[in-house]
Amino acid sequence: METRPPRSRLTRRTFIAAASTTGTVVVAGAPGPTASGEEPARPPGPAAARGDGTTGRVTFTLNGRRTSLVVDNRTSLLDLLRERLDLTGTKKGCDAGACGACTVHVDGRRVNACLTLAVRLEGAEVTTIEGLARHGGLHPLQRAFVEQDALQCGFCTPGQIMSGVACIHEGHARSPDEIREWMSGNICRCGCYVNIVRAIGQAARGR
Amino acid sequence: MRPFTYTRPGTLAEAIGAGRRGGRYVAGGTTLVDLMREGVEHPGELVDLSGLGMRGVRPVRGGGLRIGALARMADVASSPFVTTAYPVVSQALESSASAQLRNMATIGGNLMQRPRCAYFRDVSAPCNRRDPGSGCAAIGGENRTHAILGASDRCVATHPSDLAVALLPSTRWCTSSVRTDGASSPSPTSCSRRVRTRTGNTTSGPASSSPPSSSPHLAGPCVPDTSRCATGRASSSR
């Protein structure tokens, strides 16, 4: 499974961004670092990209691949994923830690990427929805979401699935009530909760 | 959000030094990052405490638990020491926020978090907590969920921590590890049944101005006292 689209591929995002800033459609590889750390090596510690210490280099593992890049200290993990690394599966909902659309795993724990400063991720292991499926097949919970029709618009789904995987791993998916309680950090405005709970229950039972 | 420099000290001494020169401590970051984005907080330097350890939960001789200030809420809630001897603490923690936030937020940060009053977060409104002396928009404003008892004429916000509520009636609690002035901390026995307002805020640096007193808050930006490095002690009440 392709987990990271080539940067030069035309997407809705790059099309809109290019058209809105230049008035013309420009499709080209965007400058900047890639997730595989193709920037020239720099010494560790705060980088001097702006010369005032408000940027820093951070090196971490993203979906199994070492990633090293210089970030503005203000950059959230969510914005880093979406705006620089083209990993747009992780969604921005409230941007305040309340909706769960941005849920990713950091060192195996589910967290809100919107409240995680990227510069703090030195040495961390980050998994996003793009890194969940391995070996070409869907993760059992992804499959369960399809089979249980656990989504409507789909915007919250990546966060629901990342949270659901952690919920099962934590041992908090032993009953529908328990799943509802431990999935309360993920909001679905379409109201697909019944089928989301069914999907998580199905995956937890290993079916 | 305004630009800021970032440091991640590896020792307590370095962290104290960074705090004394004006750095703002960040632990879980779940409140501070949000407040920085809203323009309520605008530190020039963030001091990341995540490299200091202090995440343990362990029983102490004579009864009680010693909980590291940087222990995450989720870890404390699920600790067998807590679930067996202090189930109310575990339940209070698991009633808080969401599983994601509990994986990030720390005990120190939870107890010392800033007010959740809507006016505190609205930079266009007066707020003595945010801007001492400016007034309190909650008094006479939308204050249905604010304090009735224990408030002052300067602030009526309640403390937002579920954990603090659980600790107060059933435990003797002391987080007397940090002081604004670097003086020695009060002894644990001197602060039974309440959380001292002189204790530290893991998400705040040195005070630029004094917060209002006589209000139901845990507040008081501070510098850690090395002799009792940022751990709390909860003991069974007798």
Side-chain angles (χ1 to χ4, degrees), chain B:
Chain B
M1 194 186 297
R2 297 183 194 173
F4 56 86
T5 61
Y6 168 82
T7 54
R8 186 171 183 266
T11 68
L12 200 56
E14 291 170 11
I16 292 168
R20 286 200 171 126
R21 69 171 180 263
R24 183 66 55 94
Y25 296 130
V26 60
T30 54
T31 296
L32 184 58
V33 172
D34 198 24
L35 292 176
M36 289 165 65
R37 202 169 274 151
E38 295 291 328
V40 177
E41 300 270 3
H42 27 75
E45 176 182 7
L46 269 197
V47 183
D48 185 346
L49 302 181
S50 63
L52 300 181
M54 298 194 290
R55 296 194 187 278
V57 179
R58 66 174 194 272
V60 294
R61 200 172 355 182
L65 287 179
R66 194 169 186 85
I67 301 173
L70 296 174
R72 294 189 183 95
M73 291 172 70
D75 294 335
V76 176
S78 63
S79 164
F81 297 126
V82 178
T83 55
T84 53
Y86 301 94
V88 66
V89 172
S90 180
Q91 290 166 19
L93 285 167
E94 290 188 349
S95 301
S96 309
S98 66
Q100 291 95 319
L101 290 169
R102 296 193 295 270
N103 277 339
M104 303 170 73
T106 65
I107 293 298
N110 178 269
L111 289 176
M112 301 304 166
Q113 64 185 292
R114 304 311 307 274
R116 292 265 162 191
C117 175
Y119 298 107
F120 174 78
R121 289 165 176 265
D122 176 2
V123 294
S124 67
C127 173
N128 284 325
R129 288 261 152 220
R130 177 171 25 80
D131 183 15
S134 63
C136 174
I139 298 174
E142 293 291 333
N143 58 18
R144 182 176 169 79
T145 60
H146 286 52
I148 297 172
L149 304 174
S152 76
D153 59 359
R154 285 159 288 184
C155 177
V156 293
T158 53
H159 190 272
S161 168
D162 293 308
L163 171 64
V165 175
L167 288 173
L168 289 176
S170 61
T171 63
R172 218 154 40 100
W173 171 255
C174 182
T175 58
S176 57
S177 55
V178 277
R179 293 281 297 262
T180 52
D181 52 8
S184 60
S185 303
S187 70
T189 53
S190 71
C191 52
S192 60
R193 292 188 180 277
R194 62 181 305 205
V195 180
R196 307 287 290 210
T197 56
R198 296 296 300 274
T199 58
N201 185 341
T202 60
T203 58
S204 290
S208 56
S209 52
S210 299
S213 58
S214 305
S215 60
H217 284 287
L218 306 172
C222 56
V223 169
D225 167 25
T226 52
S227 67
R228 321 175 71 87
C229 51
T231 55
R233 176 185 169 127
S235 304
S236 300
S237 59
R238 294 185 170 83

Side-chain angles (χ1 to χ4, degrees), chain A residues 60-136:
Chain A
F60 59 101
T61 303
L62 178 58
N63 295 335
R65 295 166 68 176
R66 186 173 179 273
T67 301
S68 183
L69 67 180
V70 174
V71 297
D72 186 309
N73 291 343
R74 296 171 292 183
T75 308
S76 68
L77 172 58
L78 175 60
D79 285 343
L80 180 69
L81 292 171
R82 293 182 55 82
E83 307 302 332
R84 288 188 63 184
L85 301 176
D86 281 351
L87 293 175
T88 55
T90 306
K91 302 303 184 194
K92 180 180 281 192
C94 67
D95 208 24
C99 76
C102 66
T103 303
V104 299
H105 297 174
V106 173
D107 295 330
R109 304 162 69 108
R110 48 176 159 166
V111 302
N112 298 117
C114 68
L115 294 180
T116 302
L117 293 174
V119 72
R120 301 187 67 191
L121 290 171
E122 183 66 32
E125 186 165 323
V126 178
T127 304
T128 70
I129 189 71
E130 290 89 346
L132 194 59
R134 297 285 168 89
H135 314 298

